Amino acid sequence: MMKATAKANTNIALIKYWGKRDEKLFLPMNSSLSITLDKFYTITTVEFRKELDKDIFWFNNKQANKSDSNKVSRFLDNVRNLASVNFHAVVSSENVVPTAAGFASSASAFAALAAASTKALDLKLNEKELSILARQGSGSACRSIYGGYVEWKKGEREDGKDSVAFQILPEHDWNLSILSVMVASSQKAVPSRDGMKRTVETSPFYNGWLQTVDKDLEKAKEAIRVRNFESLGKVVEANALKMHATMLGAEPPILYWQSGTFEVFQEVQELRSQGISAFVTIDAGPNVKVLCMPQDELKVYETIITLPHVQNITICHPGSGLTYI
Ligand code: 2P0
């Protein structure tokens, strides 16, 4: 039977991926670092069938729109090429991720799709090969193959064979709390794909990003190695703010922040002034992730949940890599 089901967790970047050097192969301008989360995920079933004349994509129990269906089909074309087959597939995905509001839904989606589609065709890819394949659906998806703390090396090659993620620390080796704070649930104005392209092409600050991101990455890796939360938090927050600064310099400018974003950011600064070690990171959307130590997570939760714009908070921890169901 040409059918398989896989589950992938999403990930939150500690050092951000922002900008591509090759849009077709999803090759990034810079290396990045993430934590795979335990609470947000995608479960995808892929069944190839000889009688189909096109792919059919079900997303959260509804037939997906044309643009999402096309992305899935283009991705499956790569898989069909690898397997030298031309069957079409029924793909059905269940996404337990707040989609398109700055939570990386495409990361878990393409990681799960890569795993399920290749297993359905009995391709037997290893994790490195899966990471390279998933990357070609969405850059951040290459990190969701693995659990725990994950680095995506940008690579140098034009064919992308060395632009791949790998685990630097398993999920159980250092427990941190990542509070996923929702302040707005609307679809974002500028998709990250367009936002990063515009930033690379027009922002005068993008060079400053490229000049410092490797240093940030090294600091973050060293902090993880010695389990120093304070120094990890510092560089993570600074790196996120720096990414947003590059976007503010784009033409036209891109500002993902909303009132609730500022509110949470300011409260976290207030918590720090009271001696609680907490830091924020913000992706291409208004929502905020707050990082803290597990012993502080309830205090941080109870403080942030009272803020007027905060709709809900999910407390996450480092989660596992791909699983097959
Ligand atoms: C990241 N983001 O490192 C960065 C930080 C958003 C901000 O990866 O065009 O959906 O599909 O490769 O992976 C979101 O971008 O973009 C993202 P594509 P992707 O997590």
Side-chain angles (χ1 to χ4, degrees):
M1 196 170 56
M2 294 185 291
K3 181 177 176 182
T5 301
K7 175 184 172 188
N9 285 317
T10 192
N11 68 78
I12 170 73
L14 302 178
I15 302 298
K16 306 297 186 186
Y17 148 50
W18 198 248
K20 295 183 183 70
R21 64 178 196 278
D22 183 319
E23 284 174 27
K24 254 183 104 181
L25 288 173
F26 293 78
L27 300 178
M29 295 287 267
N30 64 275
S31 300
S32 56
L33 179 71
S34 60
I35 301 182
T36 301
L37 301 179
D38 59 349
K39 297 278 170 62
F40 299 137
Y41 56 87
T42 304
I43 295 177
T44 295
T45 300
V46 179
E47 182 173 12
F48 288 92
R49 289 192 202 149
K50 289 182 177 137
E51 73 275 14
L52 292 175
D53 61 358
K54 62 177 174 54
D55 299 314
I56 300 167
F57 179 35
W58 291 87
F59 183 73
N60 289 345
N61 296 317
K62 283 194 215 105
Q63 195 135 13
N65 65 35
K66 217 177 172 137
S67 145
D68 288 345
S69 298
N70 285 341
K71 280 182 198 160
V72 166
S73 271
R74 270 201 303 272
F75 184 83
L76 290 178
D77 287 343
N78 293 336
V79 178
R80 283 185 276 260
N81 263 336
L82 280 176
S84 305
V85 300
N86 55 14
F87 319 131
H88 291 93
V90 180
V91 175
S92 89
S93 273
E94 190 201 336
N95 226 24
V96 180
V97 177
T99 303
F103 290 90
S105 53
S106 62
S108 55
F110 281 99
L113 182 62
S117 60
T118 54
K119 177 137 193 275
L121 292 175
D122 206 23
L123 273 168
K124 299 197 169 59
L125 301 193
N126 62 30
E127 286 183 326
K128 182 178 174 187
E129 292 163 329
L130 279 172
S131 179
I132 289 172
L133 178 64
R135 192 202 72 224
Q136 294 168 70
S138 182
S140 53
C142 75
R143 300 186 307 233
S144 271
I145 302 296
Y146 307 89
Y149 299 76
V150 180
E151 179 177 356
W152 172 14
K153 273 228 186 312
K154 72 183 180 80
E156 305 294 337
R157 291 171 58 134
E158 271 177 35
D159 65 7
K161 290 271 186 329
D162 59 351
S163 185
V164 58
F166 53 93
Q167 186 184 64
I168 61 168
L169 192 74
E171 57 271 28
H172 300 298
D173 284 16
W174 193 25
N175 193 23
L176 293 183
S177 303
I178 304 104
L179 283 72
S180 178
V181 183
M182 202 190 285
V183 298
S185 48
S186 58
Q187 297 268 319
K188 61 191 167 196
V190 184
S192 51
R193 200 162 291 186
D194 305 338
M196 60 176 88
K197 182 171 157 66
R198 192 191 301 169
T199 306
V200 172
E201 288 172 356
T202 66
S203 176
F205 306 144
Y206 193 69
N207 262 331
W209 167 260
L210 288 181
Q211 280 164 22
T212 55
V213 67
D214 283 343
K215 230 178 266 162
D216 290 354
L217 180 66
E218 286 314 310
K219 274 189 206 160
K221 280 166 68 176
E222 177 60 16
I224 291 169
R225 196 179 69 78
V226 302
R227 315 285 198 273
N228 184 334
F229 178 71
E230 190 74 21
S231 67
L232 179 65
K234 252 191 216 163
V235 68
V236 165
E237 188 173 289
N239 184 265
L241 294 178
K242 210 186 285 177
M243 176 184 75
H244 286 275
T246 69
M247 301 180 204
L248 290 174
E251 264 183 57
I254 303 160
L255 175 57
Y256 286 113
W257 293 36
Q258 295 181 14
S259 310
T261 317
F262 285 94
E263 211 173 76
V264 176
F265 184 45
Q266 283 167 341
E267 190 60 45
V268 167
Q269 287 181 317
E270 176 61 29
L271 280 166
R272 278 211 295 272
S273 75
Q274 296 166 18
I276 290 173
S277 195
F279 298 88
V280 304
T281 186
I282 302 160
D283 282 330
N287 297 312
V288 185
K289 313 284 186 315
V290 181
L291 273 74
C292 66
M293 300 287 284
Q295 64 263 30
D296 295 326
E297 73 180 30
L298 277 181
K299 164 83 182 160
V300 174
Y301 176 90
E302 281 164 8
T303 308
I304 306 276
I305 197 74
T306 62
L307 298 172
H309 284 90
V310 171
Q311 296 175 1
N312 63 65
I313 301 177
T314 307
I315 302 180
C316 301
H317 298 105
S320 65
L322 280 178
T323 50
Y324 293 93
I325 295 171

